[in-house]
């Protein structure tokens, strides 16, 4: 059994709650991130375990990139952020996953990467609560993104 967090998650896609699993693409899954202060924040996880983009075949890499861009478009159309931040880091979990953070007018730290605030949120319950957004809205957020992805013709894994 692998000790990779995302490989374990991918091994049991069926057990991912519906509000968390936004979409199941042929080459990636889309998870609603827990920091919904950034409304629509998603994580696009490659289905193939790889540390770096250059480890994927060109065909899979291009398809993964296109799937990520389609999610970005869905976030943009659904929630109309000022700007999307695209982040492919992997320092904590070295399995390819794009963080798509929509940034809005109400963002108190517009010029900073979100991670400084989220690092504080992990240590401070009040900041944690704010950054998590309204958990009651997670299901609706997922549904809206799903509807938009359907409208955009997103491919679904059979
Ligand atoms: Zn993995």
């Amino acid at each position: 059994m692998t000790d990779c967090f995302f490989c374990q998650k991918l091994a049991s896609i069926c057990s991912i709650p519906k509000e968390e699993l936004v979409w199941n693409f042929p080459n990636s899954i889309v998870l609603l991130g827990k920091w919904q202060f950034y409304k629509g924040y998603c994580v696009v996880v490659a289905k193939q375990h790889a540390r770096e983009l250059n480890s994927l075949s060109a065909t899979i890499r291009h398809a993964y990139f296109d799937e990520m861009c389609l999610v970005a478009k869905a976030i943009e159309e659904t929630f109309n952020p000022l700007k999307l931040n695209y982040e492919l880091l992997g320092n904590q979990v070295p399995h390819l996953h794009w963080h798509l953070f929509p940034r809005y007018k109400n963002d108190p730290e517009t010029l900073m990467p979100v991670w400084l605030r989220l690092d504080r949120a992990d240590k401070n319950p009040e900041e944690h609560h704010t950054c998590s957004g309204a958990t009651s809205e997670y299901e609706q957020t997922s549904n809206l993104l799903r509807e938009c992805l359907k409208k955009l013709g997103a491919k679904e894994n059979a």
Side-chain angles (χ1 to χ4, degrees):
M1 185 65 187
T2 172
D3 60 359
C4 170
F5 174 79
F6 283 129
C7 282
Q8 286 177 7
K9 198 138 186 139
L10 284 159
S12 52
I13 289 181
C14 299
S15 62
I16 303 174
K18 198 169 180 276
E19 71 270 17
E20 185 184 358
L21 183 64
V22 175
W23 200 263
N24 184 3
F25 280 114
N27 297 285
S28 62
I29 56 169
V30 183
L31 304 173
L32 191 74
K34 69 173 180 174
W35 304 116
Q36 287 299 313
F37 169 81
Y38 306 96
K39 200 171 178 65
Y41 160 50
C42 284
V43 183
V44 186
V45 182
K47 285 192 172 169
Q48 183 181 323
H49 179 92
R51 290 172 63 95
E52 308 297 343
L53 281 171
N54 61 39
S55 306
L56 298 175
S57 71
T59 307
I60 291 181
R61 183 169 62 245
H62 296 163
Y64 176 42
F65 187 77
D66 286 346
E67 290 169 2
M68 182 277 287
C69 288
L70 203 59
V71 179
K73 189 171 172 61
I75 296 170
E76 201 185 342
E77 285 198 6
T78 307
F79 298 114
N80 195 28
L82 289 177
K83 178 70 184 87
L84 272 171
N85 288 171
Y86 303 77
E87 304 201 51
L88 184 73
L89 303 168
N91 300 324
Q92 291 186 56
V93 183
H95 173 135
L96 291 172
H97 58 286
W98 286 99
H99 294 273
L100 298 180
F101 278 105
R103 308 295 294 266
Y104 297 95
K105 271 194 188 140
N106 68 345
D107 196 321
E109 299 178 357
T110 46
L111 294 179
M112 298 201 201
V114 296
W115 302 107
L116 301 174
R117 189 167 183 226
L118 298 180
D119 186 50
R120 289 199 310 270
D122 271 333
K123 298 163 190 149
N124 174 331
E126 200 176 310
E127 189 88 325
H128 193 283
H129 183 73
T130 305
C131 289
S132 297
T135 52
S136 58
E137 293 173 10
Y138 285 11
E139 191 177 350
Q140 190 199 13
T141 300
S142 283
N143 285 340
L144 289 170
L145 288 171
R146 217 173 280 126
E147 279 167 29
C148 191
L149 281 164
K150 250 179 228 164
K151 192 187 76 185
L152 292 170
K155 281 187 198 155
E156 258 182 295
N157 204 30

